[in-house]
């Protein structure tokens, strides 16, 4: 029988409310696992996760996932129109969403509301990822989790997503947790970052400070491609 691996190891971290919080680190370090623990896509075997002082295991899982919404790395559109996709989350909670709210959601992610009746699976990669974000916002979450949301997008689509995330944080005060491999992206939009290596957070701070070069920082080493898991 294969030995069980420890993915997250005595990790302690605080997500800053109303800010873009980046989780960075080499492949296999545990950042995506940590992200999935935050809305119980993965249940940790030990430890606790608190949201406003409440154990998230004490919150109904559907309620938690409405409050802490997830956007995956690759956008998956459900069958039907964009409007059908935007209605999915509220419908799962027994709620309705009207066209005016759908229009607002598309405008938030810089998409033309005239696309509401367009077949969702016909969208480009960048459009689909923005619809994924709008779909996650349909339940009015307090926190938005994103797992490398721009990794498969071209530079123009990437910048549009980044602009959207900055708007959500700066204008609406939304708390965002972003997993990213790109230190350039983190430096552009994140307020704070946490570097994970082998399941442990080894460094935290603002990207500007950690990349300043004034002192030795593991983050700067990671940005140069000199930091790998299992070192």
């Amino acid at each position: 029988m294969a030995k069980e691996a420890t993915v997250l190891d005595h990790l302690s971290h605080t997500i800053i409310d109303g800010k873009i919080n980046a989780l960075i680190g080499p492949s296999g370090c545990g950042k995506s696992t940590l992200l999935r623990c935050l809305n119980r896509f993965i249940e940790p075997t030990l430890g606790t996760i608190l949201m406003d002082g409440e154990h998230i295991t004490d919150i109904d899982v559907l309620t938690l996932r409405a409050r802490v919404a997830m956007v995956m790395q690759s956008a998956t559109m459900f069958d039907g129109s964009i409007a059908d996709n935007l209605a999915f989350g509220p419908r799962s909670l027994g709620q309705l969403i009207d066209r005016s709210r759908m229009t607002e959601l598309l405008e938030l992610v810089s998409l033309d509301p005239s696309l509401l009746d367009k077949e969702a699976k016909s969208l480009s990669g960048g459009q689909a990822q923005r619809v994924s974000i709008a779909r996650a916002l349909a339940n009015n979450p307090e926190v938005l989790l994103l797992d490398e949301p721009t990794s498969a997008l071209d530079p123009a689509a990437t910048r549009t997503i980044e602009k959207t995330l900055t708007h959500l944080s700066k204008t609406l005060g939304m708390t965002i947790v972003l997993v990213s491999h790109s230190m350039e992206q983190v430096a552009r939009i994140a307020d704070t970052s946490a570097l994970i290596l082998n399941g442990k957070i080894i460094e935290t701070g603002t990207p500007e400070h950690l990349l300043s070069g004034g002192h030795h920082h593991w983050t700067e080493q990671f940005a140069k491609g000199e930091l790998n898991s299992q070192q």
Side-chain angles (χ1 to χ4, degrees):
M1 182 180 294
K3 183 180 179 181
E4 291 187 358
T6 299
V7 180
L8 301 175
D9 187 8
H10 294 84
L11 183 150
S12 179
H13 187 51
T14 298
I15 301 300
I16 301 176
D17 188 40
K19 301 295 184 180
I20 298 179
N21 301 257
L23 301 177
I24 58 174
S27 297
C29 71
K31 56 189 182 296
S32 291
T33 298
L34 174 58
L35 194 76
R36 283 161 171 74
C37 287
L38 298 181
N39 72 346
R40 296 178 62 188
F41 268 47
I42 295 175
E43 298 279 2
T45 54
L46 293 172
T48 57
I49 299 173
L50 303 178
M51 183 174 183
D52 296 332
E54 183 178 10
H55 289 243
I56 65 170
T57 51
D58 293 335
I59 304 172
D60 172 75
V61 69
L62 288 180
T63 301
L64 176 68
R65 290 175 184 170
R67 294 175 63 187
V68 183
M70 172 80 82
V71 176
M72 299 297 189
Q73 182 175 357
S74 298
T76 300
M77 294 291 96
F78 305 144
D79 290 335
S81 66
I82 292 176
D84 293 328
N85 274 259
L86 297 182
F88 179 84
R91 188 184 300 121
S92 69
L93 298 175
Q95 301 171 359
L96 297 176
I97 179 171
D98 59 30
R99 299 274 296 194
S100 63
R101 176 57 178 159
M102 291 182 185
T103 293
E104 291 175 1
L105 290 172
L106 289 192
E107 290 175 341
L108 274 176
V109 297
S110 302
L111 285 175
D112 193 321
S114 66
L115 295 174
L116 272 174
D117 295 313
K118 185 179 178 69
E119 187 69 24
K121 290 188 176 181
S122 70
L123 298 174
S124 68
Q127 288 175 323
Q129 193 63 289
R130 281 183 276 166
V131 171
S132 291
I133 295 172
R135 187 172 61 195
L137 296 174
N139 283 331
N140 299 309
E142 299 162 46
V143 182
L144 186 62
L145 311 176
L146 302 108
D147 192 358
E148 297 190 63
T150 63
S151 62
L153 303 182
D154 63 41
T158 293
R159 291 304 180 93
T160 299
I161 296 293
E162 291 175 355
K163 180 180 176 182
T164 296
L165 298 181
T166 300
H167 173 75
L168 292 173
S169 173
K170 305 298 184 188
T171 306
L172 303 183
M174 181 166 289
T175 302
I176 293 172
V177 185
L178 170 72
V179 165
S180 179
H181 272 113
S182 169
M183 277 310 305
E184 293 84 359
Q185 179 174 77
V186 170
R188 284 194 297 267
I189 69 171
D191 298 294
T192 184
S193 64
L195 176 63
I196 304 175
L197 186 67
N198 299 328
K200 299 178 182 289
I201 289 181
I202 64 170
E203 195 164 69
T204 60
T206 66
E208 181 181 19
H209 174 65
L210 297 178
L211 295 171
S212 65
H215 302 280
H216 176 268
H217 288 118
W218 290 107
T219 298
E220 189 175 17
Q221 197 169 331
F222 169 66
K224 293 177 180 178
E226 299 172 353
L227 191 66
N228 299 303
S229 294
Q230 308 306 321
Q231 281 191 320

